[in-house]
Amino acid sequence: MIDIRWERYPLTAQSRSSRDWLQIHANLGSSPNTIDAYARGLNDYLHFCTSAVINPETARKVDIAAYVQDLSQRNHPKGPKENKSGLSSATIKQRLTIVRLYYDYLVEEEICNRNPASRGLHRHQNRYERQGHRTRRDLVICPKKLPWIPNAEEWGALLQALKEEPFRNRLMFAFAYDGALRRSEVCGIEIGDINPADSLLTIRAEISKSYFDRIVPYSEETSDLFLQYLSQRRQLSRTPGRLFLSESRRNKAQPISIWTWSKVIKRIAEQAGVPQFTTHTLRHLRLTDLARDGVDLLSIAKFAGHRHVTTTQIYIHLSGREVAQAVQRGMNQIHSWRIKTMKEVLQ
């Protein structure tokens, strides 16, 4: 069971209903990251209610709209102080999702009569759709942008910065790209997950976001790096378990955390002059490279550990493969037609 650190979320801790809601998710096996996100998001909403003198249990949709307006006018925590453009649509949508799930629980427990953060009803205007068909629409529209990936020059700068890193960080970087791994999957690798004979890495269900096992290959270069790091790791600890260990005095020989890995990647990105680069960029890049190489959609989905291929389609679009192939086919047909007509005239 997850030990929730209530001191980090004082307003959430004060409310019995919010404590019960979070504890239920923790008892049902939600990941620590999920619990932390829920607790922080709910604490933020309760802080807004306190400032605006709103009783959360009797809040109305107009109060939720005021909360959205408040989020949209805040300074972005990672941006310059003079930036008053507000939080991103994705962040606002995430906060609203947490609030909606919380109110779902309150309605289920008969603490509230209705959910003020529920999705709105939207009647389709498309005349080709079934008359009167209604679906649920999010309160905030989130533009679906393609993920950013580095170009060849930026990739070269990142690799130059990586050269200055110790074996551990270089191996984590290599595994993350080879297997298109999420940061929790990279940090959660255990020695027993690696099959050096076949250069295969098992991603266990308990560290995977999709909660099922998958096996991914890794390159020969990564294999060589793994052997070098393994001898270095033995100096820290000879016990089996997590592969990547901390080398700091404070947490020496302790498993590395996702926050430490994020700091490593941030340092590499800043040194390379590519601030957009994050721990998830390597996953985006690897899956896009597979799409560029012509790997079919289902195989990419299995490799990535996606539950639905619709999630994987973004990498097909990002690679430009379908568009390029369609344009090439069209150009070939047009080119053949023009050559044929010119030939008839010139003969």
Side-chain angles (χ1 to χ4, degrees):
M1 185 178 71
I2 300 172
D3 184 19
I4 303 176
R5 310 216 15 210
W6 296 108
E7 67 276 7
R8 295 182 176 180
Y9 331 105
L11 294 178
T12 304
Q14 292 174 12
S15 169
R16 180 176 178 179
S17 60
S18 61
R19 286 179 66 98
D20 290 345
W21 178 64
L22 280 174
Q23 195 63 61
I24 288 172
H25 281 283
N27 293 344
L28 291 176
S30 295
S31 71
N33 292 338
T34 299
I35 296 299
D36 179 65
Y38 282 2
R40 285 187 292 106
L42 187 54
N43 195 81
D44 182 78
Y45 172 66
L46 295 176
H47 176 74
F48 166 78
C49 290
T50 301
S51 303
V53 195
I54 298 171
N55 182 356
E57 296 181 0
T58 59
R60 300 176 298 158
K61 194 167 287 275
V62 65
D63 299 320
I64 300 299
Y67 178 55
V68 173
Q69 184 182 36
D70 177 73
L71 293 173
S72 64
Q73 294 177 346
R74 295 184 190 179
N75 291 339
H76 197 285
K78 295 183 179 180
K81 293 183 179 179
E82 63 274 10
N83 179 17
K84 298 185 181 298
S85 59
L87 302 182
S88 66
S89 298
T91 301
I92 295 175
K93 185 175 180 180
Q94 182 193 49
R95 298 283 177 88
L96 282 181
T97 298
I98 294 169
V99 173
R100 186 178 70 250
L101 293 174
Y102 172 61
Y103 275 112
D104 282 342
Y105 165 75
L106 295 184
V107 172
E108 195 173 301
E109 293 294 312
E110 299 183 349
I111 298 174
C112 291
N113 295 326
R114 56 189 296 273
N115 187 340
S118 63
R119 292 184 175 96
L121 281 174
H122 171 63
R123 185 183 295 275
H124 290 286
Q125 300 299 321
N126 192 325
R127 61 192 177 95
Y128 296 105
E129 296 200 39
R130 183 165 57 86
Q131 196 75 12
H133 180 62
R134 296 164 76 105
T135 57
R136 294 284 180 179
R137 182 177 62 179
D138 288 333
L139 297 176
V140 175
I141 303 300
C142 181
K144 296 182 179 180
K145 298 182 179 180
L146 293 174
W148 174 87
I149 57 174
N151 57 32
E153 182 180 351
E154 292 166 334
W155 179 248
L158 289 165
L159 294 183
Q160 286 297 321
L162 187 63
K163 286 183 179 180
E164 306 300 323
E165 296 294 323
F167 281 128
R168 183 200 67 188
N169 297 346
R170 280 185 270 171
L171 180 59
M172 293 180 73
F173 191 99
F175 270 138
Y177 172 76
D178 286 349
L181 306 183
R182 304 175 179 93
R183 64 175 183 173
S184 59
E185 295 171 346
V186 178
C187 296
I189 295 175
E190 295 187 355
I191 295 177
D193 298 334
I194 300 174
N195 178 0
D198 299 319
S199 297
L200 294 175
L201 170 65
T202 299
I203 307 302
R204 290 169 285 110
E206 52 266 32
I207 66 171
S208 173
K209 184 179 179 180
S210 53
Y211 294 105
F212 58 79
D213 292 337
R214 72 181 192 275
I215 299 176
V216 295
Y218 57 88
S219 66
E220 183 178 346
E221 292 75 14
T222 302
S223 180
D224 294 339
L225 198 58
F226 167 67
L227 295 176
Q228 296 179 66
Y229 171 69
L230 207 56
S231 61
Q232 187 182 68
R233 183 192 182 278
R234 292 192 187 102
Q235 299 176 10
L236 291 172
S237 174
R238 290 182 175 273
T239 58
R242 293 273 285 275
L243 174 63
F244 299 113
L245 304 180
S246 174
E247 300 171 5
S248 67
R249 290 184 178 180
R250 183 179 179 182
N251 300 308
K252 192 171 183 179
Q254 295 298 312
I256 191 172
S257 69
I258 58 174
W259 314 115
T260 301
W261 177 228
S262 294
K263 291 178 182 178
V264 169
I265 289 297
K266 184 178 180 181
R267 181 175 66 242
I268 294 172
E270 290 176 349
Q271 187 174 346
V274 189
Q276 311 97 307
F277 189 78
T278 67
T279 55
H280 214 65
T281 304
L282 289 168
R283 177 173 169 85
H284 290 319
L285 183 61
R286 176 60 162 158
L287 297 179
T288 303
D289 286 346
L290 290 175
R292 286 169 173 167
D293 286 342
V295 179
D296 65 274
L297 186 64
L298 184 58
S299 296
I300 297 176
K302 290 181 178 179
F303 183 87
H306 288 155
R307 288 182 177 272
H308 307 288
V309 293
T310 51
T311 308
T312 316
Q313 286 177 337
I314 188 173
Y315 302 103
I316 302 295
H317 300 323
L318 185 59
S319 70
R321 192 181 77 197
E322 291 181 337
V323 175
Q325 290 175 348
V327 170
Q328 188 61 45
R329 287 194 299 268
M331 290 302 296
N332 288 340
Q333 292 175 0
I334 294 173
H335 178 69
S336 299
W337 174 78
R338 291 198 186 280
I339 293 296
K340 182 179 179 180
T341 54
M342 290 175 61
K343 184 178 182 180
E344 293 175 352
V345 173
L346 295 175
Q347 283 181 348

